[in-house]
Amino acid sequence: MNLAIRDIRYHRGRFILTSIGLGLLLGVVMSMGGIYRGLFADALAVLDFAKADIWVVQQDTNGPFAETSRIPEDIKYRIRAVPGVAEASPLSFQTIQIERQGKPFRFFLIGYDLNGFGGPPGIIAGRGIRQKHYEIVVAKAMRMEIGEKIHLGLHDYTVVGITGKVVSSGGDPAAYVSLADAQDIQFKKDNYAIRNDRERIGANLAAIQSLSPAQAKYLQQNIAGITESTHTVNTVVARLAPGADLKEVQERISRWNHFRPISVEEQTKILTKGMIEKARMQLGLFRIILLVISAVIISLIIYTSTIDKIRVIATLKLIGSQNRVIVGMILQQSLLMGAIAYGIGYVLILLTYEKFPRRIVLEPFDLQALFAIVMAICMISSFVGIRKALKVEPAEALGG
Amino acid sequence: MYAIEVEKLTKIYGKGETAVTAIADATFQVKPGELVAILGPSGSGKTTLLTSIGLINEPTHGKVVIDGANIADEGWIPGLDLKRIRREKLGFIFQAHNLIPFLTALENVMIALEINHLTKTEAKHRATELLISLNLGHRLNNYPTALSGGEAQRVAIARALANKPKVILADEPTAALDTENGKNVMALLKKLAVENHSAILVVTHDHRMVEGFDKIFEVRDGVIAQETKRDS
Ligand SMILES: Nc1ncnc2c1ncn2[C@@H]1O[C@H](COP(=O)(O)OP(=O)(O)O)[C@@H](O)[C@H]1O
Ligand SMILES: [Mg+2]
């Protein structure tokens, strides 16, 4: 006869309530693990989508995600010419926050070369970008519809396609436009600012006595051209030719071009170690605290339920029960409570994780490890109760 | 052979100034099939006597022999498996029935059998039989809280009898019952002593309850007086 289950059956109300409480706690622990994995997945998704081997960025920076990196767009030609590089394509990134339906609306805008790579990884509705201008592909998470218009910079953009779950390292959903549009949105000044700048440059040049008016005019056009140029990108991504050696190619790029070529592996390190390390430690700390709280709660529950059963335990001892019967009763109850609470937490997370504002990734390994930890906690927590139970004297069964 | 032999049994609680001699130099014997009462007022040492015989409290001095086995001689005989002797040779009945609240009547009897290594099926069979013989056939699946005082005490008796012990020790088994139920319980014990050929030692402070007992010992301040034969 299983005394643990008999006791639970008799006190099922109390047992279910405590299990639900613990289950909620474990659900939070699971979600934190999921958020951590989600941070990881988000950070790496932004790397993954381009399917590039090398990220070329501004020298001495950890760009383009961890730090700002600005490089001229046309170095793509020079990168393409590097032996061992199969293709290279420029990309621009910017985080945009506008007002939409009265609420702040944040997303990560990726500009890519329509003739290169690094565009939306999978279109799940509509189509990809075909026209050079004013078309946008948005992530599903942005909840926009095909045909909808969105005002960015100086122009309106029409949603032509929906892509899946690409997000920025900050967790914002990603949208795609052509590189030229992205550069416009990022750098283009409005007409008033352009006129202002031109006049200011003109006035400055006119003040230089030694310039002839023709020279001044020529200079003014050139300077204005440079200041109005938007041909800047954040990175040029490159794919290696079959058989090319990554290290060699990296070295060539940095030696010849004075840019920093970051391999995917290095980029992963920058993103995970640098950007999400703090979040990871914080989540880890919370998880440990919550597990300690769970352990304390389980100990308390098992201890009080042992105290409630002192007379039962004394009676069992008096009629000659072996210690294993008594230890088994307490231990099994503790493990059962842990297992049921875990189950409740798991179901809870399974039902809700898609509704979390941030991505939650449930890794089977994490869940199994947590289960093992919970079982270990239950076992350790029941020791207090078991110790108490073993000290009970059979004589305590006697008397009123 | 006696079922219970007690010789110069003394139990002293505590040491030095605060020492309390709860039982002093008790000597008596109980034969199998005999129903014996220990009668005395509260605090006279009845429970102490019972627990000293029942391998619950270690006797300070004197000898205890249960069913031919030496249990104590100036303290417990070293190396005894007390729990095993308790579950194989002894049955206990308490003042409060001490049924396990989360087990049904049937399960309360079954547990005593299962800890004595009977299979679940055997235990269930024997427990059901026992409870039916004690007129509890309609109460098998009730929890103790749903039983009347008399019913609960009969379940406790069934549990004490489950392993067919040679000796049954009952501590004020009628104290929580009204007179009529109390007398019924005592009558039942009398019947069981004869039928099962067990020695039954009943402790009580209520002299109205000891009708029909084979022997009655009166105890006062830890001292057992001579056996009193009573006219019924
Ligand atoms: N565990 C104990 N420690 C110290 N003194 C005890 C203990 N148990 C009983 N006594 C004392 O021993 C005496 C006999 O008690 P008890 O055997 O319980 O009597 P009864 O069962 O007849 O009421 C009382 O004076 C009681 O206070
Ligand atoms: Mg007493």
Side-chain angles (χ1 to χ4, degrees):
Chain A
M1 183 186 323
N2 189 306
L3 291 174
I5 289 176
R6 293 297 194 288
D7 185 26
I8 289 169
R9 187 185 61 184
Y10 188 72
H11 294 114
R12 60 179 92 76
R14 188 170 77 177
F15 184 81
I16 289 169
L17 276 181
T18 18
S19 299
I20 290 175
L22 269 177
L24 292 174
L25 212 59
L26 291 180
V28 175
V29 175
M30 283 176 209
S31 73
M32 287 195 166
I35 290 171
Y36 166 56
R37 291 286 176 189
L39 280 180
F40 229 86
D42 282 354
L44 299 184
V46 81
L47 269 191
D48 227 35
F49 87 100
K51 303 261 173 291
D53 298 309
I54 296 176
W55 293 67
V56 180
V57 300
Q58 187 178 331
Q59 205 162 29
D60 301 325
T61 72
N62 285 321
F65 307 110
E67 278 186 88
T68 324
S69 149
R70 284 191 177 183
I71 55 177
E73 180 186 338
D74 55 18
I75 70 141
K76 67 187 175 193
Y77 301 112
R78 284 151 69 189
I79 303 294
R80 274 180 200 150
V82 171
V85 170
E87 21 177 4
S89 190
L91 289 173
S92 95
F93 303 102
Q94 55 192 307
T95 300
I96 289 191
Q97 178 163 336
I98 55 169
E99 190 122 314
R100 182 165 170 257
Q101 291 159 2
K103 283 183 194 154
F105 183 61
R106 254 174 90 88
F107 59 95
F108 188 60
L109 190 67
I110 300 171
Y112 73 104
D113 186 344
L114 298 187
N115 301 315
F117 59 96
I123 300 287
I124 54 177
R127 57 171 176 81
I129 294 169
R130 277 189 209 139
Q131 314 233 320
K132 248 189 143 148
H133 288 294
Y134 313 132
E135 288 188 347
I136 186 168
V137 167
V138 300
K140 192 172 147 234
M142 290 166 70
R143 290 169 219 266
M144 294 186 75
E145 272 159 36
I146 289 173
E148 204 176 323
K149 284 194 170 16
I150 178 168
H151 190 80
L152 300 171
L154 305 172
H155 303 283
D156 275 342
Y157 292 79
T158 308
V159 175
V160 295
I162 310 280
T163 182
K165 252 189 170 173
V166 174
V167 282
S168 75
S169 55
D172 301 314
Y176 294 83
V177 291
S178 73
L179 185 64
D181 282 354
Q183 288 167 330
D184 263 11
I185 294 165
Q186 197 169 4
F187 303 117
K188 189 127 188 190
K189 298 165 181 166
D190 60 32
N191 291 336
Y192 176 76
I194 289 174
R195 249 194 326 272
N196 240 347
D197 280 355
R198 282 185 192 164
E199 274 166 22
R200 193 158 44 82
I201 294 165
N204 282 342
L205 291 173
I208 303 171
Q209 301 286 320
S210 57
L211 284 179
S212 69
Q215 281 173 316
K217 193 167 166 48
Y218 176 77
L219 268 176
Q220 192 216 21
Q221 275 171 357
N222 265 291
I223 295 169
I226 291 168
T227 61
E228 286 160 32
S229 161
T230 58
H231 294 285
T232 299
V233 297
N234 302 111
T235 182
V236 170
V237 286
R239 288 176 180 165
L240 290 183
D245 183 76
L246 174 71
K247 280 262 164 311
E248 273 173 29
V249 174
Q250 274 183 292
E251 212 184 281
R252 274 175 211 143
I253 293 173
S254 58
R255 188 147 32 91
W256 297 354
N257 295 299
H258 307 290
F259 296 107
R260 179 166 179 215
I262 305 180
S263 71
V264 169
E265 199 182 317
E266 289 160 346
Q267 195 65 270
T268 304
K269 220 176 267 172
I270 291 169
L271 283 172
T272 55
K273 285 274 151 31
M275 294 179 70
I276 62 176
E277 180 67 10
K278 273 203 184 119
R280 186 184 75 85
M281 294 204 314
Q282 205 158 33
L283 287 170
L285 198 67
F286 272 132
R287 285 216 284 174
I288 291 169
I289 291 171
L290 286 176
L291 283 175
V292 169
I293 292 173
S294 312
V296 171
I297 291 176
I298 294 170
S299 307
L300 268 174
I301 292 169
I302 294 298
Y303 186 74
T304 42
S305 110
T306 306
I307 297 288
D308 284 350
K309 281 202 280 284
I310 291 286
R311 205 177 164 86
V312 167
I313 291 166
T315 304
L316 282 170
K317 286 189 173 185
L318 201 145
I319 66 174
S321 284
Q322 300 82 347
N323 277 341
R324 69 175 155 76
V325 173
I326 291 154
V327 171
M329 172 172 72
I330 296 170
L331 190 61
Q332 284 166 17
Q333 222 165 60
S334 178
L335 292 177
L336 217 68
M337 186 161 60
I340 290 173
Y342 179 90
I344 290 172
Y346 180 66
V347 169
L348 202 79
I349 283 300
L350 224 53
L351 292 178
T352 57
Y353 81 103
E354 283 186 325
K355 298 187 177 68
F356 274 71
R358 279 211 72 131
R359 173 139 59 148
I360 295 213
V361 177
L362 298 173
E363 293 267 353
F365 172 80
D366 292 358
L367 294 173
Q368 284 157 13
L370 181 65
F371 185 75
I373 291 170
V374 169
M375 290 293 105
I377 285 177
C378 287
M379 219 181 299
I380 295 163
S381 303
S382 60
F383 282 168
V384 231
I386 287 171
R387 230 174 62 127
K388 178 79 190 166
L390 290 179
K391 279 190 191 151
V392 171
E393 291 288 334
E396 288 175 59
L398 300 165
Chain B
M1 192 174 69
Y2 292 110
I4 307 172
E5 281 179 79
V6 175
E7 199 186 316
K8 296 202 170 214
L9 175 67
T10 298
K11 174 69 191 178
I12 303 169
Y13 289 113
K15 280 197 177 94
E17 298 253 317
T18 56
V20 177
T21 304
I23 283 290
D25 276 334
T27 300
F28 64 91
Q29 300 85 28
V30 183
K31 283 185 275 203
E34 250 184 344
L35 179 64
V36 172
I38 307 277
L39 188 62
S42 181
S44 56
K46 306 182 299 293
T47 298
T48 302
L49 180 64
L50 216 60
T51 52
S52 301
I53 297 169
L55 289 85
I56 296 166
N57 265 327
E58 184 165 11
T60 316
H61 300 295
K63 283 185 186 172
V64 177
V65 181
I66 301 282
D67 190 29
N70 282 323
I71 301 302
D73 188 355
E74 300 298 298
W76 280 324
I77 308 280
L80 288 180
D81 184 347
L82 300 177
K83 281 185 176 165
R84 181 172 175 174
I85 298 169
R86 280 208 298 270
R87 65 175 180 260
E88 289 179 354
K89 292 191 190 289
L90 300 176
F92 291 91
I93 302 166
F94 312 96
Q95 173 182 339
H97 52 69
N98 275 50
L99 294 176
I100 294 171
F102 53 82
L103 298 183
T104 62
L106 180 65
E107 289 165 346
N108 260 288
V109 180
M110 281 171 69
I111 185 76
L113 291 159
E114 285 185 21
I115 59 176
N116 205 18
H117 311 295
L118 261 73
T119 66
K120 197 174 172 166
T121 331
E122 291 168 333
K124 189 165 186 171
H125 183 74
R126 171 138 178 76
T128 308
E129 220 174 55
L130 250 173
L131 287 168
I132 289 172
S133 78
L134 295 177
N135 287 326
L136 288 163
H138 60 302
R139 289 301 203 193
L140 297 181
N141 296 316
N142 283 109
Y143 286 105
T145 45
L147 301 174
S148 73
E151 284 171 336
Q153 200 54 296
R154 276 184 285 149
V155 175
I157 292 172
R159 181 176 65 187
L161 290 172
N163 290 309
K164 301 187 176 131
K166 287 279 166 14
V167 171
I168 291 176
L169 302 171
D171 189 6
E172 312 237 16
T174 62
L177 303 177
D178 57 46
T179 313
E180 195 191 321
N181 270 309
K183 287 195 167 157
N184 289 342
V185 163
M186 288 304 197
L188 178 61
L189 290 177
K190 171 85 200 158
K191 187 173 137 228
L192 294 171
V194 176
E195 279 176 10
N196 296 353
H197 207 58
S198 312
I200 305 188
L201 186 61
V202 182
V203 145
T204 180
H205 67 272
D206 190 347
H207 55 82
R208 291 169 304 172
M209 290 293 165
V210 296
E211 271 171 39
F213 275 59
D214 297 315
K215 284 183 198 164
I216 299 159
F217 295 105
E218 290 204 38
V219 59
R220 220 164 271 274
D221 293 332
V223 179
I224 295 196
Q226 270 310 300
E227 177 188 341
T228 36
K229 274 280 179 192
R230 284 207 159 200
D231 310 318
S232 41

